[in-house]
Amino acid sequence: MTRISVKVDGTTYEDEVEPRLLLVHYLRDRLGLTGTPVGCDTSNCGTCTVDLDGVSVKSCSVLAVQTDGCAVTTVQGLAQGGELTALQRAFHERHALQCGYCTPGMLMAARDLLKENPRPTAGEVRHALEGNLCRCTGYQNIVRAVLAAASDEEVPA
Ligand code: FES
Ligand code: FES
């Protein structure tokens, strides 16, 4: 077992973990943060995307031990005080989800894009989200929601 200290969604955790434990399983099974789903076994789907020290990563491709001393933000750390972020509101109001399974990863990947490029084109949104798969929406409303959040369009509460 290896000792780690990691801040997740603003809370610091000190834990003993097996070196082979994946970050996504640490988040879900140890910390109970099941808002980050597992959608594949092959690092293809992007549902497990989280922010690791400011960089968007697929948490099924990262070992928990690699996060020692790091800060992780999951989809559950986005809303503050019960207030959704503009991006979350845009997903809701633009119907950018159906079953919702891909949504945590889409939100985290889109958030990463908007940090780097606050005014992306539709093509840039599609390019940024190409590592995230959705089986339901056909992607159109997801792209629209990201563009709406980026353009500060009024997103009804
Ligand atoms: S569960 Fe991580 S990419 Fe699919
Ligand atoms: S909303 Fe169902 S997989 Fe994307």
Side-chain angles (χ1 to χ4, degrees), residues 7 9 19 40 58 128 150:
K7 185 182 281 192
D9 294 341
C40 69
K58 293 178 176 177

Side-chain angles (χ1 to χ4, degrees), residues 80-121:
Q80 296 296 318
E83 286 288 316
L84 297 180
T85 65
L87 184 61
Q88 288 174 307
R89 285 202 311 278
F91 266 63
H92 180 220
E93 297 301 333
R94 310 262 162 185
H95 308 292
L97 57 108
Q98 289 182 31
C99 79
Y101 206 84
C102 71
T103 310
M106 290 288 182
L107 285 168
M108 298 309 293
R111 174 179 176 268
D112 194 51
L113 166 68
L114 295 180
K115 278 193 302 179
E116 296 292 317
N117 180 1
R119 292 285 187 275
T121 64

Side-chain angles (χ1 to χ4, degrees), residues 50-68:
V50 299
D51 181 298
L52 177 59
D53 277 350
V55 177
S56 168
V57 298
K58 293 178 176 177
S59 60
C60 71
S61 303
V62 176
L63 295 168
V65 293
Q66 292 176 289
T67 68
D68 182 38

